[in-house]
């Protein structure tokens, strides 16, 4: 056990060994958040606080999920023969797919449903536009795909979309036609994976309670990148005995253009009882000239939760500013 915790700094150690309660880990860039997440899971399993099948961990990329599983496999093997078998570790979409495969019938899907990638989705919308003589200059298929995806990220079916003008009314009609077509063909797009599994948990108390009992520890990476629906989906999995550990950095929230909602971090602090906060401020990636400049700049953002990165790596090269007259330069 001491080997597991040996190379952690004080902040990382505090985050890894927190009691089983809700926690927000504010992890600055280069502060070792993946190490904290994986060590936290290994520590919980090694100390007998949770069985591997009681863990659900959400990452944002398949690469991060694979890396986490590989690291966990090594950490757990060195203990008392635990393995990652039974753990649910993956992306939001990967975990939702797993959920829908297990409960396809109550989710209203065929057992062998297929997943549309973005190109398939665009082709499906183009086909609809042709079939229903939609003016594709006024309603470009690519923009219709974005509209549908945006509605789903907000948790809205066609009937839920507020209609304020004729253009929106037409888009909602196409959204409904697209939904009907997908249902007939037994296919789901990425947005549908999330929305359908959220509705499955929301509308079926028996399924929801089963997973709330099963997952005692829910851990979320890159929490600042979650959108409204992903946060709502997570809340469905949290029972009275579930501890959520969210790791994120509001200073690195750059995906608002694709639906990410940094406000989820403030909502988490407000909506979950007794959330502990730990700040990881020791940076292992950069020199202090870069960090001091970044701290000075980001300090002007009055909406942030606040932290100050530091490093032991020395000053490094001075920062140079280059101003160019054009993007080609």
């Amino acid at each position: 056990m001491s080997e597991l915790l040996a190379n952690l700094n004080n902040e990382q150690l505090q985050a890894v060994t927190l009691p089983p309660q809700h926690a927000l880990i504010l992890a600055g860039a280069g502060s070792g958040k993946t190490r904290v997440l994986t060590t936290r899971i290994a520590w919980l399993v090694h100390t007998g606080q949770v069985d591997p099948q009681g863990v659900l961990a959400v990452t944002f990329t398949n690469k991060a999920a694979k890396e986490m599983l590989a690291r966990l496999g090594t950490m757990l093997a060195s203990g008392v023969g635990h393995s990652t078998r039974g753990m649910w570790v993956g992306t939001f979409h990967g975990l939702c797919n797993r959920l829908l495969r297990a409960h396809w019938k109550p989710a209203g899907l065929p057992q062998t449903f297929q997943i549309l990638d973005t190109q398939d989705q665009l082709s499906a919308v183009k086909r609809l536009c042709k079939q229903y003589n939609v003016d594709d200059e006024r309603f470009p298929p690519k923009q219709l795909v974005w509209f549908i995806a945006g509605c789903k990220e907000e948790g809205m079916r066609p009937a839920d979309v507020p209609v304020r003008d004729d253009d929106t009314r037409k888009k909602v009609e196409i959204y409904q036609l697209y939904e009907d077509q997908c249902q007939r063909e037994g296919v789901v797009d990425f947005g549908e994976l999330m929305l359908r599994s959220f509705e499955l948990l929301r509308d079926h108390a028996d399924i929801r309670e089963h997973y709330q009992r099963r997952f005692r520890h829910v851990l979320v990476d890159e929490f600042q990148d979650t959108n409204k629906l992903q946060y709502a989906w997570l809340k469905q999995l949290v029972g009275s005995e579930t501890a959520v550990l969210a790791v994120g950095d509001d200073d690195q929230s750059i995906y608002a253009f694709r639906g990410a909602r940094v406000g989820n971090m403030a909502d988490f602090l407000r909506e979950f009882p007794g959330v502990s906060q730990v700040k990881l401020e020791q940076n292992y990636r950069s020199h202090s000239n870069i960090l001091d400049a970044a701290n000075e700049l980001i300090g002007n953002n009055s909406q942030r939760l606040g932290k100050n990165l530091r490093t032991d790596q020395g000053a490094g090269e001075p920062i140079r500013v280059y101003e160019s007259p054009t993007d080609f330069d």
Side-chain angles (χ1 to χ4, degrees), residues 202-267:
R202 181 195 65 193
D203 300 339
H204 295 83
D206 55 333
I207 296 172
R208 181 176 67 249
E209 286 158 13
H210 164 77
Y211 287 105
Q212 287 178 351
R213 282 193 303 274
R214 173 177 174 164
F215 297 126
R216 291 306 173 97
H217 286 271
V218 172
L219 303 97
V220 193
D221 196 6
E222 308 288 11
F223 193 60
Q224 76 280 354
D225 292 338
T226 52
N227 62 35
K228 183 179 174 181
L229 182 61
Q230 288 164 339
Y231 181 53
W233 180 83
L234 282 166
K235 287 201 287 187
Q236 294 293 328
L237 291 166
V238 179
S240 57
E241 303 292 315
T242 314
V244 179
L245 183 107
V247 181
D249 182 4
D250 52 341
D251 295 336
Q252 292 187 66
S253 180
I254 58 170
Y255 289 116
F257 69 91
R258 67 174 194 207
R261 194 177 164 277
V262 70
N264 286 346
M265 295 178 85
D267 287 351

Side-chain angles (χ1 to χ4, degrees), residues 284-299:
Y284 294 96
R285 192 183 291 160
S286 307
H287 291 96
S288 63
N289 281 337
I290 289 173
L291 295 182
D292 293 346
N295 286 333
E296 191 67 30
L297 278 171
I298 200 73

Side-chain angles (χ1 to χ4, degrees), residues 55-271:
V55 172
L56 179 130
V58 193
T59 66
F60 262 80
T61 64
N62 289 316
K63 182 172 177 259
K66 279 183 187 148
E67 188 184 324
M68 190 182 282
L69 277 168
R71 285 195 198 186
L72 271 170
T74 308
M75 286 176 173
L76 293 176
S78 64
V80 283
H82 290 295
S83 79
T84 56
R85 186 180 295 161
M87 282 184 190
W88 281 37
V89 178
T91 62
F92 277 103
H93 292 113
L95 295 173
C96 286
N97 181 35
R98 188 167 177 174
L99 198 60
L100 292 174
R101 296 281 170 203
H103 306 283
W104 54 273
K105 210 166 198 171
L109 288 168
Q111 190 170 5
T112 55
F113 70 85
Q114 301 291 307
I115 299 169
L116 299 178
D117 63 22
T118 41
Q119 200 50 51
D120 297 330
Q121 194 181 1
L122 184 59
S123 302
V125 169
K126 281 179 177 172
R127 207 164 75 230
L128 268 179
C129 290
K130 199 171 180 184
Q131 189 181 343
Y132 290 94
N133 297 318
V134 176
D135 179 353
D136 62 6
E137 286 198 1
R138 190 173 166 196
F139 301 102
K142 200 166 259 186
Q143 286 182 19
L144 290 170
V145 167
W146 293 338
F147 173 78
I148 292 167
C151 290
K152 289 187 180 186
E153 279 177 6
E154 288 292 311
M156 293 189 295
R157 292 292 181 196
D160 307 319
V161 182
V163 174
R164 295 188 185 89
D165 52 50
D166 289 343
D167 274 18
T168 310
R169 185 172 288 107
K170 187 68 182 169
K171 286 179 187 170
V172 170
E173 268 177 43
I174 295 162
Y175 179 12
Q176 185 62 63
L177 291 167
Y178 171 78
E179 286 245 288
D180 297 342
Q181 177 176 286
C182 288
Q183 192 63 31
R184 276 197 311 276
E185 295 176 358
V187 294
V188 296
D189 58 38
F190 291 132
E192 187 67 23
L193 281 174
M194 269 308 325
L195 183 51
R196 187 77 67 120
S197 63
F198 164 73
E199 290 169 343
L200 174 77
L201 292 167
R202 181 195 65 193
D203 300 339
H204 295 83
D206 55 333
I207 296 172
R208 181 176 67 249
E209 286 158 13
H210 164 77
Y211 287 105
Q212 287 178 351
R213 282 193 303 274
R214 173 177 174 164
F215 297 126
R216 291 306 173 97
H217 286 271
V218 172
L219 303 97
V220 193
D221 196 6
E222 308 288 11
F223 193 60
Q224 76 280 354
D225 292 338
T226 52
N227 62 35
K228 183 179 174 181
L229 182 61
Q230 288 164 339
Y231 181 53
W233 180 83
L234 282 166
K235 287 201 287 187
Q236 294 293 328
L237 291 166
V238 179
S240 57
E241 303 292 315
T242 314
V244 179
L245 183 107
V247 181
D249 182 4
D250 52 341
D251 295 336
Q252 292 187 66
S253 180
I254 58 170
Y255 289 116
F257 69 91
R258 67 174 194 207
R261 194 177 164 277
V262 70
N264 286 346
M265 295 178 85
D267 287 351
F268 177 61
L269 290 172
R270 194 179 67 250
E271 293 172 2

